[in-house]
Amino acid sequence: MQVGDPISEEIIIRARESFARQGLMAHLGAEITEVRAGIVKLRLPFRQELTQQHGYFHAGGTSAIADSAGGYAGFTLFPEGSSVLTVEFKLNLISPAQGDYLEAVGRVIKNGRTLTICQLDVWGVDGDRRKHVAAGMQTLICLHDTPDLPASR
C-alpha cells in the first residue's frame, strides 16, 4: 500500500473511533475530514476560546492538531492490534494562524516496523484563501500487540 491510496472502511473506522476517544480533540472541537493510507486531515474551527492575546489561533491548538493528524496518518499503516504514540515532534510556526478554521495534514514519509516519520503541515483557511501557518516533522512509535484502548489508571 502506498501513501495516499484509498484504504479499507475497517481502517477508517478504527482511526475515527480512536480519534473520538481523544478528550483534547473533542474539547478543542477538532474533527477528522479525510483518512487515506498514510494521510490524515483534521479541521479546527475558529472559536475565541482557541486564541492567544492577539486573536490568532494559539500555538497550543495548532500544535495539538498537527500532532494528532500525523499520529493518525501513521496509525492507518500500522497493523491491526497495535497502537500509536508520538515519540517526538517539532513544529515551526511560519505565519500567524488565522482564518475560519485550521486544517492540519499529517503525511507519512517513512513507515518503519517500529518508528514512523511524518510530515506535518497546518493551513489557515479563510473562505477560498489558504495560508501555510506551520510545518514540522514527527516521529511515531508503533506499539505492536498493544490494542488501541484507554490506559488503565
Side-chain angles (χ1 to χ4, degrees):
M1 182 181 326
Q2 299 293 317
V3 170
D5 284 350
I7 53 177
S8 72
E9 190 64 27
E10 180 180 295
I11 295 172
I12 293 170
I13 290 169
R14 180 171 58 127
R16 287 185 180 279
E17 286 178 348
S18 176
F19 182 83
R21 291 193 303 274
Q22 287 202 349
L24 181 61
M25 291 297 106
H27 180 71
L28 294 175
E31 60 187 1
I32 292 181
T33 60
E34 186 175 335
V35 180
R36 288 186 282 150
I39 299 175
V40 167
K41 294 182 182 180
L42 302 182
R43 178 179 292 194
L44 180 62
F46 179 83
R47 293 191 345 258
Q48 192 63 39
E49 297 84 1
L50 301 176
T51 62
Q52 45 83 291
Q53 72 275 16
H54 299 292
Y56 302 123
F57 279 94
H58 193 284
T62 304
S63 61
I65 64 169
D67 176 41
S68 284
Y72 283 103
F75 190 57
T76 65
L77 300 177
F78 289 3
E80 188 174 344
S82 65
S83 59
V84 62
L85 287 175
T86 299
V87 173
E88 173 186 40
F89 77 97
K90 177 187 185 340
L91 194 68
N92 289 357
L93 305 169
I94 55 180
S95 291
Q98 57 186 332
D100 299 327
Y101 62 90
L102 296 181
E103 179 182 69
V105 181
R107 179 182 183 84
V108 172
I109 58 174
K110 172 68 169 101
N111 183 34
R113 177 174 159 22
T114 303
L115 297 179
T116 293
I117 310 301
C118 295
Q119 178 179 323
L120 309 173
D121 290 289
V122 183
W123 303 86
V125 182
D126 196 6
D128 291 337
R129 185 183 67 83
R130 289 172 52 86
K131 187 171 186 180
H132 201 192
V133 300
M137 299 288 288
Q138 176 187 54
T139 304
L140 305 170
I141 188 166
C142 177
L143 300 174
H144 293 276
D145 301 318
T146 306
D148 184 60
L149 300 171
S152 50
R153 295 184 198 219

